[in-house]
Amino acid sequence: MNEKKKFIRDSVYGDITLNEFEVKIMDMPQFQRLRRIKQLGLISLIYPGATHTRFEHSIGTMNLGSKLAEELELEKDEIELIRASALLHDIGHGPFSHVSEGVLSVPHEELTKFVITKTSMRDLLEEKFDVNEIVDIVNGKGHLGPIVSSELDVDRMDYLLRDSHNTGVAYGIIDYERIISNLKLENGLILDIKGVQAAEGALVSRYFMYPSVYQHHTTRIVNSMFRRALKRIIDEKIINENDIHKYDDTDIISIFRHCDNKFANDIMNRLDTRNIMKRVKTIRLDNFKFPEKMYKIESKILEKAEEEIAEDYNLDKDYVFINIAEYPRFDEMKTQVNVDGKLYPLTKISNIISALSKARFNIPDISLYVDSSEKSKFEKFKLENYLELPEIDREKYYGIHYDQIKLI
């Protein structure tokens, strides 16, 4: 007798099939918590439709993982293992996803391992799987790991599609079916030359999603505000970071509103009313000869600069923020491409990807944010008076690029 199937309606893929054991996994409280964790954290303050959750993303990742596993002609038990691993790959995410991770001492992958191996989730999973195999796949290890976690994995494919769909930013639309149909599993995921164009589209999509969504200047400051408040309530032991995998977004919002820390109270009020710090100074990283040096500046040096700015301009140092955009890593560029039996990195095969690799610092910047009421004080502000910045490339013509930041 065939196992009874259940369908769940997804906004991106339509009907997704679930077996009875997968339904049991989803019904566990550890997984249901993901319904209450926004995939994009606080980005709904910028894009109101970005209220989708880790719950949706996890199911979507399972769906793509299943499609890729079937395309690779894996055995039935391997396909089921991939589906379960993809379903659980974000089970340890803290409130507001990557936003909270920025102040935690352990990455969400370690928290995911804890939930899978040290909670009641383990008892259920061991009815059918080896939990250590699931942990390895979630972390990209072993023969099957690259399907869920690698340069061109199903996790990335789903979040690009889903984030684009929910923000309304069309850059994230990718031809995932073409990519999946041209992947092989040989000591990692290998892309056939026929899939290069689709991979180019995915990389270009991600490149433009960074300034439009993930590293939008307002995204960065609301994240910075939240993280500073979260660090305060962790340092004051209002919450225990070791229990962060138990909290959801609503829990943290409530704690911020009602705890005894006035800074956390005020930051939550500001986020509630969208009273956000304003950017008063920006320097594009491509203005520097060696922009990579910006990422070697230690956090304590940035904090010292914030304190000095606050003192010089008679501000509260808690409300002065220096933020450097996330490093534009784009690991997908390392994807190996099969050309007549020989393997080459995608950057060697594609002129487009090679150009993106060189242009990765065109978008990131370092910015200073203060309260909107203090903005007029900073008309002649020079960040280099407070930070030792890399050498400016004065021969580079960057005027057009610099003006374009106003459009982002």
Side-chain angles (χ1 to χ4, degrees), residues 3-58:
E3 183 181 15
K4 186 178 179 180
K5 300 287 185 180
K6 185 173 182 177
F7 294 90
I8 191 164
R9 187 71 175 179
D10 182 69
S11 62
V12 176
Y13 310 111
D15 285 341
I16 295 177
T17 306
L18 302 166
N19 63 38
E20 290 184 1
F21 195 77
E22 289 160 356
V23 172
K24 288 182 180 180
I25 293 175
M26 289 172 57
D27 284 344
M28 292 289 285
Q30 295 92 335
F31 196 89
Q32 287 295 311
R33 183 185 70 99
L34 299 183
R35 287 185 183 272
R36 305 183 299 278
I37 296 180
K38 288 192 177 112
Q39 170 81 4
L40 290 179
L42 296 157
I43 289 180
S44 59
L45 287 170
I46 298 96
Y47 294 100
T51 56
H52 55 301
T53 66
R54 287 280 153 183
F55 183 89
E56 299 163 59
H57 166 61
S58 297

Side-chain angles (χ1 to χ4, degrees), residues 18 21 70 82 103 116-117 124 193 220 223 253 258 273 310 321 346 362 368 371 373 379 384:
L18 302 166
F21 195 77
E70 290 172 3
I82 287 294
V103 297
I116 291 172
T117 62
L124 173 64
I193 187 66
R220 285 160 48 200
N223 288 351
I253 289 171
H258 303 297
T273 58
F321 295 82
L346 190 55
N362 285 359
L368 172 69
D371 187 86
S373 64
E379 290 180 0
E384 55 267 34

Side-chain angles (χ1 to χ4, degrees), residues 366-384:
I366 178 171
S367 293
L368 172 69
Y369 299 82
V370 300
D371 187 86
S372 59
S373 64
E374 309 290 352
K375 194 172 181 179
S376 60
K377 296 181 179 180
F378 290 84
E379 290 180 0
K380 296 182 180 180
F381 176 81
K382 291 185 178 181
L383 190 58
E384 55 267 34

Side-chain angles (χ1 to χ4, degrees), residues 103-117:
V103 297
L104 301 178
S105 59
V106 293
H108 76 272
E109 291 87 356
E110 285 298 313
L111 295 172
T112 291
K113 178 180 179 180
F114 180 86
V115 174
I116 291 172
T117 62

